[in-house]
Amino acid sequence: MQDIPWQDLPQQDQELVEQAQQALALAYCPYSRFQVGAALRCTDGTIITGVNVENASYGMTICAERGAIMHARARGYTQFEALAVITRNEGELTSTPASPCGACRQVLFEAAQAAGTQLKVILTAADKSCCILTDTEELLPLGFGPKDLAC
Ligand code: THU
């Protein structure tokens, strides 16, 4: 895990964060007012975004990270390189990144293991002053995945 400001990221990761930031405005979060934007870079360079979509039946909410993975799969993309996530709480420009929930960690872990790769994850604070660089193995140590079922 590494912690650096947005401007110190490689150019293509800066762009990925910017795509996630642009997606933030599309989040549907009338209950939490916590906007989450995600941008997933596929190995061919295509970027696919996701946002959190809440529901009056709260448990039906889908997080931005899972939204991005489902969106990518539906478009035929299965090989991913990096995921950027940015959050904004009540529109405030906070300097602390949020971390993916357990359900999203499981889905990201599967996406990476099924593809036989590591998936880089960039967690970004709303003001972009701090980006945490991590990956799916670190987010879900000893995770259960497709390899466990392939006896
Ligand atoms: N949320 C995400 O989109 N991703 C996460 O990993 C954590 C939580 C969303 C769900 C809900 O809409 C809001 O943030 C507050 O929990």
Side-chain angles (χ1 to χ4, degrees):
M1 192 171 76
Q2 202 191 344
D3 173 348
I4 61 172
W6 171 80
Q7 62 267 25
D8 291 350
L9 292 173
Q11 178 75 26
Q12 62 170 358
D13 289 346
Q14 285 189 13
E15 283 167 16
L16 194 65
V17 169
E18 283 186 322
Q19 293 278 324
Q21 190 178 29
Q22 277 173 31
L24 273 180
L26 303 174
Y28 175 70
C29 52
Y31 308 107
S32 71
R33 298 184 204 281
F34 188 78
Q35 295 171 303
V36 187
L40 183 64
R41 188 173 65 241
C42 307
T43 46
D44 72 349
T46 301
I47 294 178
I48 293 182
T49 55
V51 295
N52 53 329
V53 179
E54 298 186 344
N55 193 278
S57 176
Y58 299 161
M60 298 299 104
T61 293
I62 305 288
C63 297
E65 299 91 322
R66 273 178 290 154
I69 295 283
M70 304 307 158
H71 184 187
R73 276 267 165 201
R75 288 184 51 189
Y77 292 98
T78 57
Q79 305 287 316
F80 314 117
E81 241 172 45
L83 174 80
V85 184
I86 187 164
T87 55
R88 197 164 56 195
N89 194 8
E90 305 259 11
E92 276 180 43
L93 288 185
T94 49
S95 53
T96 312
S99 193
C101 76
C104 287
R105 290 175 195 224
Q106 181 68 38
V107 169
L108 295 172
F109 185 88
E110 173 102 13
Q113 198 177 85
T117 56
Q118 273 291 324
L119 177 57
K120 181 159 82 170
V121 180
I122 307 165
L123 307 173
T124 311
D127 68 1
K128 297 201 285 189
S129 63
C130 172
C131 298
I132 294 174
L133 307 183
T134 182
D135 59 50
T136 43
E137 288 282 345
E138 191 173 51
L139 284 168
L140 195 66
L142 299 176
F144 179 76
K147 276 189 186 160
D148 293 292
L149 293 176
C151 310

